[in-house]
Amino acid sequence: MASSSPKISELTGLQKAAILLITLGPDKSANVFKFLKEEEIEQLTLEIANTRSINQSLKEEVLDEFYEVCLAQQYISEGGIDYAKSLLEKALGGDKAVEVIGKLTASLQVRPFEFVRKTDATQLLNFIQDEHPQTIALILSYLSTSQAAAIVAALPQDKQPDVAKRIAQMDRTSPDVIKEVENVLEKKLANLVNQDFTIAGGVDAVVDILNTVDRGTEKHIMETLEIDEPELADEIRKKMFVFEDILTLDDRSIQRVLHEVDNNEIAVALKNANEDVQAAIFNNMSKRLATMIKEDMEFMGPVRMKDVEEAQQKIVNIIRKLEDSGEIIIARGGGDELVV
């Protein structure tokens, strides 16, 4: 980027995103990165590194535009484009409202089955439980994680693994198929379905669901998939609990985990961990040990990302082993409550 700041109208979406993250600062940007794909992080990191000079005025313009777009998306999800336009006109004025809506229109994809997303999970279960597993999987892929988890947990046990497998293996679904299923459900949302192929489901979707259902349902599904689809089960299990999720454990559980981990593994695993994760671990060990591990981290110098990930995965495996044996509890959906 040139030494003088360009106009906001001259910036690409990637450049705006980079400026936004710079403006937000390292801590907030790190939290944003958690929700991005690896290639997106690489592109943004490179763009941030190449961004040399940004005046305060441009920063404020980018921040304002981001806020306006977020506002528009919120209004659209609440009541549609007309509703969003009406509220934005009151908040920003007529011309600005049209401009903001226009920025969203080209890429806007209103999710199919919107009427289903607003339906109570219990009622919806009665509505779809007798459908073909592929139809159930398609519908669940478009629901909120909590809705989908509640329905999966309530399905007959012999149907749960099949539906989970179909969600994980789903990639792109033709609009024609979506329309047909919506027609079967006696709702017509064809005008809201984007004419390009719609991405839904996948391993990440089923991981979100399994992380939300009760432990019994999750265990049943995973044990069945390990027999029927071992490679898929392994891929799902690797994403079920990531190293950063150690923040969901209570202090007692963290201390129990650390008791099983070699100090050198902890030092390597923490080389790429964020400040919150480091604090959670260091606060659950003696000051002397924490100091020693911090010194080890400093003296070991650069560490290959592969080695860091392997160390983190070893700790994750220990966490899952301790959970399976009932020694610690990972916070998740219904069914894990403690009975006194």
Side-chain angles (χ1 to χ4, degrees):
M1 187 175 289
S3 58
S4 59
S5 294
K7 297 178 181 179
I8 190 170
S9 59
E10 299 172 345
L11 298 176
T12 65
L14 181 62
Q15 289 172 323
K16 290 179 184 178
I19 293 172
L20 175 65
L21 292 175
I22 292 170
T23 305
L24 291 176
D27 292 339
K28 290 185 175 64
S29 296
N31 287 330
V32 172
F33 277 160
K34 294 177 184 177
F35 299 94
L36 301 180
K37 298 177 182 177
E38 186 174 328
E39 59 267 26
E40 293 172 333
I41 294 174
E42 291 177 359
Q43 290 174 347
L44 276 170
T45 302
L46 181 61
E47 186 61 41
I48 290 171
N50 289 330
T51 302
R52 293 286 181 260
S53 175
I54 317 166
N55 62 42
Q56 187 61 32
S57 175
L58 183 59
K59 286 183 180 181
E60 291 176 358
E61 285 186 76
V62 170
L63 200 58
D64 286 344
E65 181 177 294
F66 174 70
Y67 171 73
E68 290 163 358
V69 169
C70 287
L71 203 61
Q73 289 177 324
Q74 178 187 336
Y75 291 157
I76 288 172
S77 65
E78 290 175 358
I81 293 179
D82 290 338
Y83 173 77
K85 186 171 179 292
S86 174
L87 292 185
L88 288 174
E89 284 175 349
K90 294 178 182 178
L92 308 174
D95 293 341
K96 191 65 175 178
V98 171
E99 179 186 339
V100 173
I101 291 292
K103 289 175 182 175
L104 288 175
T105 301
S107 60
L108 180 64
Q109 293 185 7
V110 181
R111 290 175 68 85
F113 302 103
E114 194 63 34
F115 72 96
V116 178
R117 290 168 62 84
K118 298 175 182 178
T119 304
D120 178 75
T122 304
Q123 294 177 332
L124 185 55
L125 173 66
N126 295 330
F127 199 45
I128 68 172
Q129 62 181 344
D130 294 327
E131 296 288 340
H132 189 279
Q134 186 66 32
T135 301
I136 297 175
L138 175 62
I139 295 171
L140 295 189
S141 296
Y142 287 100
L143 299 185
S144 66
T145 300
S146 59
Q147 263 186 315
I151 292 171
V152 167
L155 287 172
Q157 283 203 337
D158 61 337
K159 190 173 280 190
Q160 290 174 343
D162 191 13
V163 170
K165 179 181 72 174
R166 290 170 186 272
I167 293 173
Q169 294 178 336
M170 194 178 299
D171 183 14
R172 295 173 182 266
T173 305
S174 164
D176 292 336
V177 174
I178 295 174
K179 290 176 187 177
E180 183 178 345
V181 174
E182 287 181 329
N183 287 335
V184 169
L185 296 175
E186 297 179 353
K187 299 290 181 178
K188 294 183 179 179
L189 297 179
N191 60 319
L192 297 180
V193 180
N194 190 283
Q195 292 306 303
D196 294 327
F197 279 57
T198 308
I199 299 174
V203 172
D204 289 340
V206 81
V207 166
D208 286 340
I209 293 172
L210 292 179
N211 274 333
T212 307
V213 300
D214 61 274
R215 178 61 170 151
T217 301
E218 175 212 315
K219 191 172 182 180
H220 169 68
I221 291 174
M222 289 304 300
E223 286 176 349
T224 305
L225 288 179
E226 282 167 359
I227 296 172
D228 297 340
E229 302 281 346
E231 291 183 3
L232 176 61
D234 184 57
E235 187 177 358
I236 292 173
R237 190 173 291 283
K238 286 179 180 178
K239 293 187 175 185
M240 285 288 294
F241 186 98
V242 296
F243 183 68
E244 288 73 15
D245 291 335
I246 200 168
L247 293 172
T248 65
L249 302 180
D250 58 29
D251 289 344
R252 175 188 164 281
S253 296
I254 294 176
Q255 291 162 18
R256 180 68 186 87
V257 172
L258 294 178
H259 184 70
E260 299 291 326
V261 184
D262 181 85
N263 291 340
N264 185 59
E265 293 285 359
I266 297 175
V268 175
L270 290 179
K271 283 290 284 187
N272 192 44
N274 63 49
E275 293 180 1
D276 290 339
V277 172
Q278 290 191 14
I281 291 179
F282 288 139
N283 289 341
N284 280 286
M285 59 176 62
S286 68
K287 290 185 178 179
R288 179 174 175 275
L289 180 57
T291 300
M292 184 177 74
I293 290 178
K294 289 177 182 177
E295 290 176 350
D296 288 345
M297 290 170 62
E298 184 177 347
F299 291 138
M300 72 173 58
V303 179
R304 292 188 307 170
M305 180 60 70
K306 180 182 177 183
D307 293 334
V308 174
E309 291 175 348
E310 287 179 355
Q312 291 180 349
Q313 189 59 47
K314 286 181 181 178
I315 296 176
V316 167
N317 292 340
I318 289 172
I319 291 172
R320 295 307 297 262
K321 180 181 177 182
L322 291 174
E323 186 198 23
D324 286 339
S325 65
E327 296 186 58
I328 65 173
I329 294 176
I330 298 175
R332 45 164 52 84
D336 285 334
E337 294 83 359
L338 295 178
V339 179
V340 180

